Amino acid sequence: MIERWALVSGLKGDLDTYELIQKDLKKTPGNITLFVLGDMIGPEKNCNRLLHRLINPKSNDLQPWCIYGWWEEQILLESGYRGDQRAETLRINKGEEVVKSLTNAVDKSFLDWIAALQFGFVELDCGLIHGSSKDIGENLTLDTPPLTLLDRLTRLQVNRLFTARSKEQFHLELTEGTVNSEVEDLNGNRKKEQKVPQKAVIGIGAGKNYTLYDVGTDNTQFVQAGYKSEKRIKGFGML
Amino acid sequence: MNQAVISCLHANLPAVEAVLKDIELQGITNITCLGDLVGYGPQPNEVIELIRDKKIPTCQGCWDEDVVDGLDACDCSYPSQLAEKRGHFAHQWTTDKLTKENKDYLANLPYSIRKDKCLFVHGSPNSQHEYLLPDMDAFAALERVENARAEILFCGHTHQPYIRELADGSIAVKIKNAAPKDIQEKEIQLPMRRIVNAGSVGEPRHGGTKATYVVHNEVTNEVKIREVEYDLELTCKAIIDAGLPQIFAWRLKNGFEFAEQAEDASHVCER
Ligand SMILES: [Zn+2]
Ligand SMILES: [Zn+2]
């Protein structure tokens, strides 16, 4: 049986989209594991129904594996789960109103569950995170310098990094890399050529846009919930 | 035009005096310090006052930060519980000894200093606690310099001096899952960058007992590691007289590389 991952993020309380994705996945062939890479909550909608469903899946739901995202980090900050810090970045950038909407959108009874979520998963040689291995709020896109992408891969010691924060869908391979290093210290000189094996960064999308990953063939499919899957048409030329 | 870069003085006054003398003898007046003025050693106030007196621009080191803000480094920065205990003791001892004025001075030190194409930091541009070891992943090392928009990154913190050149780099990328008509492949050339670690004046960990620092010629870009002998008996005696852990004196005297460094030195505390 084909091993597939479904990678979802940015639901922000949208239970309808989540149900649509669950419906899609029932029709998708293969043995599917569902990962939700953060931003299950957001300030726009009441998130309690979605959170309840994620924690208590229906009998025919695929079990979701969740990590926390940027919005979860904000509510944990604001609710005192990170020591003395509060969600100041959010407050400064979006204002007090948004901070209030966020705390109102999530019942306090869910906070301990959110606080217990992990920063990311490492499965096989893949890292599944919300932003980057450096910062939960970091956007990785096709425009991110490859050196930065390589660093974020190296930090997690993985060959593939699935990221959600930018909301974009892309599959960028770092096919080859080389650099010459020469170190001089009190013991003398040493030279080394360092090469990197093939690595990739995959943007999984957000909301209705999610990604199917075929573990065996390393192929991605960018899908919109409720539509039949289609390959995304995008290259450097369009960005 | 030569500039001298010193780091990790660690309250070792005889070592600092010897190094400043060595710099003076070469006629160098342009000096930058990469922090860790205090910690381990017995003369924290004296060393700070000497650096302030000479008006040497200084970045804040990991010890300088911790003495002011409380311990920030997590347990993982120590190789053993015993080492951690010693570190905490030295931290407390230093905090008690420092004058308010000197604490304020440490508190107000900048994280980094930029001069043209040179960036000066204590650990790495990311954190005062990150170790840039000489043989760390070359791409990750290059990323630290490049993302800091520098050509030469001067750092300390490892107490091992080195000069590392990263050259002729490239990364090829390819977009999978894109339309055939779009450009899908390209190769990015990486710039040549250097990382210079100034070693340590007051607590060397290069296998010998001499204090180390570096001299950079701003015209030719040549960098030289300097080793300076100092009266370490004086420092060792002061360590013992001060009631600091004797192992600090023993380490200086024997020039042991072994020190208070975590096994996974690349680990950065996320706290
Ligand atoms: Zn130091
Ligand atoms: Zn340090």
Side-chain angles (χ1 to χ4, degrees), chain A residues 151 171 173 175-178 180-182 184 190 194 218 220 232-234, chain B residues 135 137-138 143-144 163-165 167-170 172-174 176-179:
Chain A
D151 176 68
H171 187 157
E173 273 185 354
T175 51
E176 218 182 352
T178 171
N180 291 322
S181 163
E182 186 174 351
E184 183 196 330
R190 52 190 183 275
Q194 192 182 322
D218 188 35
T220 41
R232 187 153 168 117
I233 301 164
K234 222 169 200 188
Chain B
D135 296 306
D137 182 280
E143 188 268 345
R144 299 296 184 277
I163 301 148
R164 187 176 194 185
E165 188 173 287
D168 308 317
S170 68
V173 298
K174 181 175 148 193
K176 262 180 101 165
N177 233 350

PDB file of all heavy atoms in Angstrom, chain A residues 151 171 173 175-178 180-182 184 190 194 218 220 232-234, chain B residues 135 137-138 143-144 163-165 167-170 172-174 176-179:
ATOM      1  N   ASP A 151      20.631  25.961   5.813  1.00  0.00           N
ATOM      2  CA  ASP A 151      20.884  26.088   7.251  1.00  0.00           C
ATOM      3  C   ASP A 151      19.709  25.560   8.070  1.00  0.00           C
ATOM      4  O   ASP A 151      19.889  24.861   9.058  1.00  0.00           O
ATOM      5  CB  ASP A 151      21.152  27.554   7.601  1.00  0.00           C
ATOM      6  CG  ASP A 151      21.312  27.736   9.107  1.00  0.00           C
ATOM      7  OD1 ASP A 151      22.320  27.229   9.634  1.00  0.00           O
ATOM      8  OD2 ASP A 151      20.435  28.339   9.744  1.00  0.00           O
ATOM      9  N   HIS A 171       7.728  23.144  -3.969  1.00  0.00           N
ATOM     10  CA  HIS A 171       8.613  22.009  -3.711  1.00  0.00           C
ATOM     11  C   HIS A 171       9.954  22.373  -4.333  1.00  0.00           C
ATOM     12  O   HIS A 171      10.126  22.291  -5.543  1.00  0.00           O
ATOM     13  CB  HIS A 171       8.033  20.738  -4.332  1.00  0.00           C
ATOM     14  CG  HIS A 171       8.787  19.492  -3.965  1.00  0.00           C
ATOM     15  ND1 HIS A 171       8.202  18.244  -4.009  1.00  0.00           N
ATOM     16  CD2 HIS A 171      10.053  19.287  -3.538  1.00  0.00           C
ATOM     17  CE1 HIS A 171       9.100  17.329  -3.634  1.00  0.00           C
ATOM     18  NE2 HIS A 171      10.229  17.947  -3.350  1.00  0.00           N
ATOM     19  N   GLU A 173      13.919  21.798  -4.623  1.00  0.00           N
ATOM     20  CA  GLU A 173      15.020  20.874  -4.334  1.00  0.00           C
ATOM     21  C   GLU A 173      16.348  21.599  -4.373  1.00  0.00           C
ATOM     22  O   GLU A 173      16.595  22.398  -5.286  1.00  0.00           O
ATOM     23  CB  GLU A 173      15.035  19.750  -5.368  1.00  0.00           C
ATOM     24  CG  GLU A 173      14.152  18.602  -4.986  1.00  0.00           C
ATOM     25  CD  GLU A 173      14.266  17.450  -5.963  1.00  0.00           C
ATOM     26  OE1 GLU A 173      14.961  17.588  -7.002  1.00  0.00           O
ATOM     27  OE2 GLU A 173      13.631  16.422  -5.700  1.00  0.00           O
ATOM     28  N   THR A 175      19.644  20.646  -5.283  1.00  0.00           N
ATOM     29  CA  THR A 175      20.137  19.439  -5.935  1.00  0.00           C
ATOM     30  C   THR A 175      21.620  19.200  -5.693  1.00  0.00           C
ATOM     31  O   THR A 175      22.089  18.078  -5.735  1.00  0.00           O
ATOM     32  CB  THR A 175      19.880  19.494  -7.459  1.00  0.00           C
ATOM     33  OG1 THR A 175      20.379  20.738  -7.943  1.00  0.00           O
ATOM     34  CG2 THR A 175      18.406  19.385  -7.757  1.00  0.00           C
ATOM     35  N   GLU A 176      22.332  20.289  -5.482  1.00  0.00           N
ATOM     36  CA  GLU A 176      23.772  20.148  -5.330  1.00  0.00           C
ATOM     37  C   GLU A 176      24.322  21.359  -4.598  1.00  0.00           C
ATOM     38  O   GLU A 176      23.842  22.476  -4.781  1.00  0.00           O
ATOM     39  CB  GLU A 176      24.417  20.096  -6.721  1.00  0.00           C
ATOM     40  CG  GLU A 176      25.551  19.137  -6.792  1.00  0.00           C
ATOM     41  CD  GLU A 176      26.193  19.153  -8.168  1.00  0.00           C
ATOM     42  OE1 GLU A 176      25.678  19.791  -9.094  1.00  0.00           O
ATOM     43  OE2 GLU A 176      27.246  18.513  -8.293  1.00  0.00           O
ATOM     44  N   GLY A 177      25.311  21.132  -3.805  1.00  0.00           N
ATOM     45  CA  GLY A 177      25.949  22.265  -3.140  1.00  0.00           C
ATOM     46  C   GLY A 177      27.387  21.931  -2.826  1.00  0.00           C
ATOM     47  O   GLY A 177      27.708  20.778  -2.518  1.00  0.00           O
ATOM     48  N   THR A 178      28.232  22.929  -2.952  1.00  0.00           N
ATOM     49  CA  THR A 178      29.626  22.687  -2.624  1.00  0.00           C
ATOM     50  C   THR A 178      30.249  23.973  -2.088  1.00  0.00           C
ATOM     51  O   THR A 178      29.863  25.075  -2.479  1.00  0.00           O
ATOM     52  CB  THR A 178      30.408  22.150  -3.856  1.00  0.00           C
ATOM     53  OG1 THR A 178      31.791  22.141  -3.542  1.00  0.00           O
ATOM     54  CG2 THR A 178      30.211  23.026  -5.065  1.00  0.00           C
ATOM     55  N   ASN A 180      34.290  25.337  -0.421  1.00  0.00           N
ATOM     56  CA  ASN A 180      35.632  24.987   0.055  1.00  0.00           C
ATOM     57  C   ASN A 180      35.911  25.694   1.364  1.00  0.00           C
ATOM     58  O   ASN A 180      35.724  26.898   1.483  1.00  0.00           O
ATOM     59  CB  ASN A 180      36.679  25.400  -0.972  1.00  0.00           C
ATOM     60  CG  ASN A 180      36.591  24.544  -2.209  1.00  0.00           C
ATOM     61  OD1 ASN A 180      36.335  23.346  -2.117  1.00  0.00           O
ATOM     62  ND2 ASN A 180      36.764  25.153  -3.367  1.00  0.00           N
ATOM     63  N   SER A 181      36.377  24.929   2.317  1.00  0.00           N
ATOM     64  CA  SER A 181      36.666  25.498   3.626  1.00  0.00           C
ATOM     65  C   SER A 181      38.142  25.315   3.932  1.00  0.00           C
ATOM     66  O   SER A 181      38.705  24.236   3.743  1.00  0.00           O
ATOM     67  CB  SER A 181      35.815  24.778   4.671  1.00  0.00           C
ATOM     68  OG  SER A 181      36.327  25.007   5.955  1.00  0.00           O
ATOM     69  N   GLU A 182      38.779  26.392   4.381  1.00  0.00           N
ATOM     70  CA  GLU A 182      40.171  26.290   4.791  1.00  0.00           C
ATOM     71  C   GLU A 182      40.290  26.867   6.195  1.00  0.00           C
ATOM     72  O   GLU A 182      39.912  28.018   6.443  1.00  0.00           O
ATOM     73  CB  GLU A 182      41.070  27.067   3.823  1.00  0.00           C
ATOM     74  CG  GLU A 182      42.526  26.866   4.145  1.00  0.00           C
ATOM     75  CD  GLU A 182      43.462  27.503   3.104  1.00  0.00           C
ATOM     76  OE1 GLU A 182      42.982  27.956   2.058  1.00  0.00           O
ATOM     77  OE2 GLU A 182      44.663  27.535   3.389  1.00  0.00           O
ATOM     78  N   GLU A 184      42.728  27.697   9.471  1.00  0.00           N
ATOM     79  CA  GLU A 184      44.075  27.833   9.997  1.00  0.00           C
ATOM     80  C   GLU A 184      43.951  28.048  11.499  1.00  0.00           C
ATOM     81  O   GLU A 184      43.216  28.928  11.947  1.00  0.00           O
ATOM     82  CB  GLU A 184      44.757  29.055   9.349  1.00  0.00           C
ATOM     83  CG  GLU A 184      46.188  29.241   9.791  1.00  0.00           C
ATOM     84  CD  GLU A 184      46.711  30.648   9.458  1.00  0.00           C
ATOM     85  OE1 GLU A 184      46.251  31.251   8.470  1.00  0.00           O
ATOM     86  OE2 GLU A 184      47.554  31.126  10.233  1.00  0.00           O
ATOM     87  N   ARG A 190      44.147  23.228   7.406  1.00  0.00           N
ATOM     88  CA  ARG A 190      43.446  22.082   6.817  1.00  0.00           C
ATOM     89  C   ARG A 190      42.384  22.577   5.841  1.00  0.00           C
ATOM     90  O   ARG A 190      41.684  23.543   6.099  1.00  0.00           O
ATOM     91  CB  ARG A 190      42.844  21.182   7.890  1.00  0.00           C
ATOM     92  CG  ARG A 190      41.971  21.880   8.906  1.00  0.00           C
ATOM     93  CD  ARG A 190      41.647  20.924  10.063  1.00  0.00           C
ATOM     94  NE  ARG A 190      40.764  21.534  11.019  1.00  0.00           N
ATOM     95  CZ  ARG A 190      41.163  22.309  12.030  1.00  0.00           C
ATOM     96  NH1 ARG A 190      42.448  22.577  12.200  1.00  0.00           N
ATOM     97  NH2 ARG A 190      40.280  22.822  12.870  1.00  0.00           N
ATOM     98  N   GLN A 194      33.323  20.709   1.080  1.00  0.00           N
ATOM     99  CA  GLN A 194      32.092  20.137   1.612  1.00  0.00           C
ATOM    100  C   GLN A 194      31.011  20.143   0.549  1.00  0.00           C
ATOM    101  O   GLN A 194      30.804  21.132  -0.145  1.00  0.00           O
ATOM    102  CB  GLN A 194      31.624  20.921   2.840  1.00  0.00           C
ATOM    103  CG  GLN A 194      30.512  20.173   3.573  1.00  0.00           C
ATOM    104  CD  GLN A 194      29.985  20.938   4.775  1.00  0.00           C
ATOM    105  OE1 GLN A 194      30.739  21.586   5.497  1.00  0.00           O
ATOM    106  NE2 GLN A 194      28.682  20.842   4.992  1.00  0.00           N
ATOM    107  N   ASP A 218       8.762  10.339  -3.215  1.00  0.00           N
ATOM    108  CA  ASP A 218       9.186  11.706  -2.900  1.00  0.00           C
ATOM    109  C   ASP A 218       8.457  12.738  -3.774  1.00  0.00           C
ATOM    110  O   ASP A 218       8.976  13.790  -4.093  1.00  0.00           O
ATOM    111  CB  ASP A 218      10.720  11.827  -3.069  1.00  0.00           C
ATOM    112  CG  ASP A 218      11.253  13.169  -2.573  1.00  0.00           C
ATOM    113  OD1 ASP A 218      10.707  13.688  -1.588  1.00  0.00           O
ATOM    114  OD2 ASP A 218      12.204  13.694  -3.196  1.00  0.00           O
ATOM    115  N   THR A 220       5.243  15.348  -4.464  1.00  0.00           N
ATOM    116  CA  THR A 220       4.219  16.117  -3.776  1.00  0.00           C
ATOM    117  C   THR A 220       3.057  16.369  -4.720  1.00  0.00           C
ATOM    118  O   THR A 220       3.226  16.448  -5.943  1.00  0.00           O
ATOM    119  CB  THR A 220       4.765  17.502  -3.352  1.00  0.00           C
ATOM    120  OG1 THR A 220       5.562  18.008  -4.414  1.00  0.00           O
ATOM    121  CG2 THR A 220       5.571  17.417  -2.082  1.00  0.00           C
ATOM    122  N   ARG A 232       0.428  22.064  -9.123  1.00  0.00           N
ATOM    123  CA  ARG A 232       0.536  23.516  -9.115  1.00  0.00           C
ATOM    124  C   ARG A 232       1.470  23.975 -10.226  1.00  0.00           C
ATOM    125  O   ARG A 232       2.503  23.371 -10.478  1.00  0.00           O
ATOM    126  CB  ARG A 232       1.096  23.961  -7.782  1.00  0.00           C
ATOM    127  CG  ARG A 232       1.085  25.447  -7.620  1.00  0.00           C
ATOM    128  CD  ARG A 232       1.005  25.723  -6.143  1.00  0.00           C
ATOM    129  NE  ARG A 232       1.276  27.122  -5.899  1.00  0.00           N
ATOM    130  CZ  ARG A 232       0.391  27.929  -5.385  1.00  0.00           C
ATOM    131  NH1 ARG A 232      -0.819  27.499  -5.120  1.00  0.00           N
ATOM    132  NH2 ARG A 232       0.707  29.174  -5.108  1.00  0.00           N
ATOM    133  N   ILE A 233       1.045  25.021 -10.901  1.00  0.00           N
ATOM    134  CA  ILE A 233       1.846  25.514 -12.014  1.00  0.00           C
ATOM    135  C   ILE A 233       2.548  26.783 -11.572  1.00  0.00           C
ATOM    136  O   ILE A 233       1.966  27.855 -11.535  1.00  0.00           O
ATOM    137  CB  ILE A 233       0.971  25.759 -13.255  1.00  0.00           C
ATOM    138  CG1 ILE A 233       0.294  24.448 -13.660  1.00  0.00           C
ATOM    139  CG2 ILE A 233       1.801  26.306 -14.407  1.00  0.00           C
ATOM    140  CD1 ILE A 233      -0.863  24.611 -14.600  1.00  0.00           C
ATOM    141  N   LYS A 234       3.758  26.633 -11.220  1.00  0.00           N
ATOM    142  CA  LYS A 234       4.494  27.803 -10.747  1.00  0.00           C
ATOM    143  C   LYS A 234       5.982  27.572 -10.888  1.00  0.00           C
ATOM    144  O   LYS A 234       6.490  26.505 -10.586  1.00  0.00           O
ATOM    145  CB  LYS A 234       4.146  28.075  -9.281  1.00  0.00           C
ATOM    146  CG  LYS A 234       3.956  29.557  -9.037  1.00  0.00           C
ATOM    147  CD  LYS A 234       3.358  29.815  -7.679  1.00  0.00           C
ATOM    148  CE  LYS A 234       2.741  31.194  -7.664  1.00  0.00           C
ATOM    149  NZ  LYS A 234       2.311  31.599  -6.345  1.00  0.00           N
TER     150      LYS A 234
ATOM    151  N   ASP B 135      35.360  23.559  12.800  1.00  0.00           N
ATOM    152  CA  ASP B 135      34.983  22.553  11.802  1.00  0.00           C
ATOM    153  C   ASP B 135      33.477  22.353  11.685  1.00  0.00           C
ATOM    154  O   ASP B 135      33.022  21.329  11.190  1.00  0.00           O
ATOM    155  CB  ASP B 135      35.690  21.228  12.113  1.00  0.00           C
ATOM    156  CG  ASP B 135      37.199  21.388  11.975  1.00  0.00           C
ATOM    157  OD1 ASP B 135      37.655  21.837  10.906  1.00  0.00           O
ATOM    158  OD2 ASP B 135      37.922  21.118  12.959  1.00  0.00           O
ATOM    159  N   ASP B 137      29.718  22.669  10.218  1.00  0.00           N
ATOM    160  CA  ASP B 137      29.200  22.596   8.852  1.00  0.00           C
ATOM    161  C   ASP B 137      29.522  23.893   8.093  1.00  0.00           C
ATOM    162  O   ASP B 137      29.190  24.992   8.535  1.00  0.00           O
ATOM    163  CB  ASP B 137      27.686  22.384   8.924  1.00  0.00           C
ATOM    164  CG  ASP B 137      27.059  22.250   7.555  1.00  0.00           C
ATOM    165  OD1 ASP B 137      26.820  23.285   6.881  1.00  0.00           O
ATOM    166  OD2 ASP B 137      26.825  21.115   7.148  1.00  0.00           O
ATOM    167  N   ALA B 138      30.192  23.744   6.950  1.00  0.00           N
ATOM    168  CA  ALA B 138      30.699  24.922   6.229  1.00  0.00           C
ATOM    169  C   ALA B 138      29.565  25.813   5.711  1.00  0.00           C
ATOM    170  O   ALA B 138      29.684  27.034   5.696  1.00  0.00           O
ATOM    171  CB  ALA B 138      31.581  24.477   5.073  1.00  0.00           C
ATOM    172  N   GLU B 143      26.445  30.731   6.311  1.00  0.00           N
ATOM    173  CA  GLU B 143      25.131  31.357   6.534  1.00  0.00           C
ATOM    174  C   GLU B 143      25.195  32.395   7.651  1.00  0.00           C
ATOM    175  O   GLU B 143      24.580  33.463   7.571  1.00  0.00           O
ATOM    176  CB  GLU B 143      24.099  30.272   6.860  1.00  0.00           C
ATOM    177  CG  GLU B 143      22.659  30.758   6.926  1.00  0.00           C
ATOM    178  CD  GLU B 143      22.203  31.167   8.317  1.00  0.00           C
ATOM    179  OE1 GLU B 143      22.894  30.830   9.312  1.00  0.00           O
ATOM    180  OE2 GLU B 143      21.179  31.852   8.433  1.00  0.00           O
ATOM    181  N   ARG B 144      25.966  32.076   8.717  1.00  0.00           N
ATOM    182  CA  ARG B 144      26.070  33.014   9.840  1.00  0.00           C
ATOM    183  C   ARG B 144      26.673  34.347   9.382  1.00  0.00           C
ATOM    184  O   ARG B 144      26.234  35.408   9.802  1.00  0.00           O
ATOM    185  CB  ARG B 144      26.956  32.439  10.959  1.00  0.00           C
ATOM    186  CG  ARG B 144      26.462  31.128  11.577  1.00  0.00           C
ATOM    187  CD  ARG B 144      25.142  31.299  12.285  1.00  0.00           C
ATOM    188  NE  ARG B 144      24.725  30.056  12.948  1.00  0.00           N
ATOM    189  CZ  ARG B 144      24.102  29.045  12.340  1.00  0.00           C
ATOM    190  NH1 ARG B 144      23.810  29.118  11.060  1.00  0.00           N
ATOM    191  NH2 ARG B 144      23.766  27.961  13.022  1.00  0.00           N
ATOM    192  N   ILE B 163      41.213  30.882  11.911  1.00  0.00           N
ATOM    193  CA  ILE B 163      40.806  31.705  10.772  1.00  0.00           C
ATOM    194  C   ILE B 163      40.204  30.735   9.763  1.00  0.00           C
ATOM    195  O   ILE B 163      40.845  29.754   9.392  1.00  0.00           O
ATOM    196  CB  ILE B 163      42.021  32.415  10.141  1.00  0.00           C
ATOM    197  CG1 ILE B 163      42.700  33.304  11.189  1.00  0.00           C
ATOM    198  CG2 ILE B 163      41.615  33.216   8.916  1.00  0.00           C
ATOM    199  CD1 ILE B 163      44.195  33.427  10.993  1.00  0.00           C
ATOM    200  N   ARG B 164      38.987  30.986   9.360  1.00  0.00           N
ATOM    201  CA  ARG B 164      38.356  30.065   8.410  1.00  0.00           C
ATOM    202  C   ARG B 164      37.900  30.834   7.175  1.00  0.00           C
ATOM    203  O   ARG B 164      37.196  31.838   7.289  1.00  0.00           O
ATOM    204  CB  ARG B 164      37.154  29.392   9.059  1.00  0.00           C
ATOM    205  CG  ARG B 164      36.554  28.309   8.185  1.00  0.00           C
ATOM    206  CD  ARG B 164      35.437  27.583   8.882  1.00  0.00           C
ATOM    207  NE  ARG B 164      35.096  26.362   8.167  1.00  0.00           N
ATOM    208  CZ  ARG B 164      34.095  25.560   8.485  1.00  0.00           C
ATOM    209  NH1 ARG B 164      33.338  25.822   9.521  1.00  0.00           N
ATOM    210  NH2 ARG B 164      33.852  24.471   7.767  1.00  0.00           N
ATOM    211  N   GLU B 165      38.321  30.325   6.024  1.00  0.00           N
ATOM    212  CA  GLU B 165      37.893  30.930   4.773  1.00  0.00           C
ATOM    213  C   GLU B 165      36.920  29.992   4.079  1.00  0.00           C
ATOM    214  O   GLU B 165      37.190  28.796   3.951  1.00  0.00           O
ATOM    215  CB  GLU B 165      39.109  31.179   3.880  1.00  0.00           C
ATOM    216  CG  GLU B 165      38.772  31.981   2.655  1.00  0.00           C
ATOM    217  CD  GLU B 165      40.026  32.368   1.875  1.00  0.00           C
ATOM    218  OE1 GLU B 165      40.764  33.245   2.363  1.00  0.00           O
ATOM    219  OE2 GLU B 165      40.241  31.790   0.815  1.00  0.00           O
ATOM    220  N   ALA B 167      35.086  29.531   0.561  1.00  0.00           N
ATOM    221  CA  ALA B 167      35.181  30.081  -0.799  1.00  0.00           C
ATOM    222  C   ALA B 167      34.619  29.119  -1.840  1.00  0.00           C
ATOM    223  O   ALA B 167      34.389  27.944  -1.564  1.00  0.00           O
ATOM    224  CB  ALA B 167      36.644  30.387  -1.112  1.00  0.00           C
ATOM    225  N   ASP B 168      34.427  29.667  -3.040  1.00  0.00           N
ATOM    226  CA  ASP B 168      33.995  28.886  -4.218  1.00  0.00           C
ATOM    227  C   ASP B 168      32.722  28.080  -3.949  1.00  0.00           C
ATOM    228  O   ASP B 168      32.583  26.952  -4.414  1.00  0.00           O
ATOM    229  CB  ASP B 168      35.102  27.915  -4.670  1.00  0.00           C
ATOM    230  CG  ASP B 168      36.432  28.613  -4.860  1.00  0.00           C
ATOM    231  OD1 ASP B 168      36.426  29.712  -5.444  1.00  0.00           O
ATOM    232  OD2 ASP B 168      37.466  28.081  -4.405  1.00  0.00           O
ATOM    233  N   GLY B 169      31.822  28.657  -3.200  1.00  0.00           N
ATOM    234  CA  GLY B 169      30.597  27.928  -2.871  1.00  0.00           C
ATOM    235  C   GLY B 169      29.513  28.127  -3.907  1.00  0.00           C
ATOM    236  O   GLY B 169      29.450  29.163  -4.575  1.00  0.00           O
ATOM    237  N   SER B 170      28.682  27.119  -4.056  1.00  0.00           N
ATOM    238  CA  SER B 170      27.504  27.253  -4.914  1.00  0.00           C
ATOM    239  C   SER B 170      26.431  26.271  -4.461  1.00  0.00           C
ATOM    240  O   SER B 170      26.731  25.248  -3.849  1.00  0.00           O
ATOM    241  CB  SER B 170      27.865  26.992  -6.379  1.00  0.00           C
ATOM    242  OG  SER B 170      28.207  25.634  -6.547  1.00  0.00           O
ATOM    243  N   ALA B 172      22.867  24.515  -6.185  1.00  0.00           N
ATOM    244  CA  ALA B 172      21.969  24.403  -7.330  1.00  0.00           C
ATOM    245  C   ALA B 172      20.580  24.055  -6.823  1.00  0.00           C
ATOM    246  O   ALA B 172      20.432  23.219  -5.936  1.00  0.00           O
ATOM    247  CB  ALA B 172      22.469  23.327  -8.281  1.00  0.00           C
ATOM    248  N   VAL B 173      19.569  24.738  -7.371  1.00  0.00           N
ATOM    249  CA  VAL B 173      18.201  24.453  -6.941  1.00  0.00           C
ATOM    250  C   VAL B 173      17.302  24.135  -8.130  1.00  0.00           C
ATOM    251  O   VAL B 173      17.577  24.535  -9.267  1.00  0.00           O
ATOM    252  CB  VAL B 173      17.585  25.638  -6.144  1.00  0.00           C
ATOM    253  CG1 VAL B 173      18.357  25.913  -4.877  1.00  0.00           C
ATOM    254  CG2 VAL B 173      17.494  26.884  -6.993  1.00  0.00           C
ATOM    255  N   LYS B 174      16.251  23.416  -7.836  1.00  0.00           N
ATOM    256  CA  LYS B 174      15.324  23.002  -8.889  1.00  0.00           C
ATOM    257  C   LYS B 174      13.915  23.005  -8.294  1.00  0.00           C
ATOM    258  O   LYS B 174      13.714  22.522  -7.181  1.00  0.00           O
ATOM    259  CB  LYS B 174      15.706  21.580  -9.304  1.00  0.00           C
ATOM    260  CG  LYS B 174      14.880  20.983 -10.397  1.00  0.00           C
ATOM    261  CD  LYS B 174      15.485  19.622 -10.752  1.00  0.00           C
ATOM    262  CE  LYS B 174      14.424  18.668 -11.185  1.00  0.00           C
ATOM    263  NZ  LYS B 174      14.927  17.291 -11.224  1.00  0.00           N
ATOM    264  N   LYS B 176      10.470  21.455  -8.226  1.00  0.00           N
ATOM    265  CA  LYS B 176       9.703  20.281  -8.640  1.00  0.00           C
ATOM    266  C   LYS B 176       8.257  20.712  -8.704  1.00  0.00           C
ATOM    267  O   LYS B 176       7.870  21.673  -8.049  1.00  0.00           O
ATOM    268  CB  LYS B 176       9.852  19.182  -7.579  1.00  0.00           C
ATOM    269  CG  LYS B 176      10.901  18.133  -7.929  1.00  0.00           C
ATOM    270  CD  LYS B 176      10.993  17.083  -6.848  1.00  0.00           C
ATOM    271  CE  LYS B 176      10.250  15.816  -7.212  1.00  0.00           C
ATOM    272  NZ  LYS B 176      10.654  14.694  -6.329  1.00  0.00           N
ATOM    273  N   ASN B 177       7.471  20.020  -9.487  1.00  0.00           N
ATOM    274  CA  ASN B 177       6.059  20.317  -9.457  1.00  0.00           C
ATOM    275  C   ASN B 177       5.733  21.673 -10.074  1.00  0.00           C
ATOM    276  O   ASN B 177       4.795  22.340  -9.660  1.00  0.00           O
ATOM    277  CB  ASN B 177       5.575  20.334  -7.999  1.00  0.00           C
ATOM    278  CG  ASN B 177       4.384  19.423  -7.838  1.00  0.00           C
ATOM    279  OD1 ASN B 177       3.841  18.944  -8.820  1.00  0.00           O
ATOM    280  ND2 ASN B 177       3.988  19.186  -6.608  1.00  0.00           N
ATOM    281  N   ALA B 178       6.543  22.124 -11.031  1.00  0.00           N
ATOM    282  CA  ALA B 178       6.283  23.402 -11.695  1.00  0.00           C
ATOM    283  C   ALA B 178       5.964  23.140 -13.160  1.00  0.00           C
ATOM    284  O   ALA B 178       6.271  22.070 -13.678  1.00  0.00           O
ATOM    285  CB  ALA B 178       7.497  24.304 -11.587  1.00  0.00           C
ATOM    286  N   ALA B 179       5.360  24.121 -13.809  1.00  0.00           N
ATOM    287  CA  ALA B 179       5.029  23.964 -15.220  1.00  0.00           C
ATOM    288  C   ALA B 179       6.310  23.934 -16.046  1.00  0.00           C
ATOM    289  O   ALA B 179       7.255  24.657 -15.749  1.00  0.00           O
ATOM    290  CB  ALA B 179       4.158  25.123 -15.683  1.00  0.00           C
TER     291      ALA B 179
END
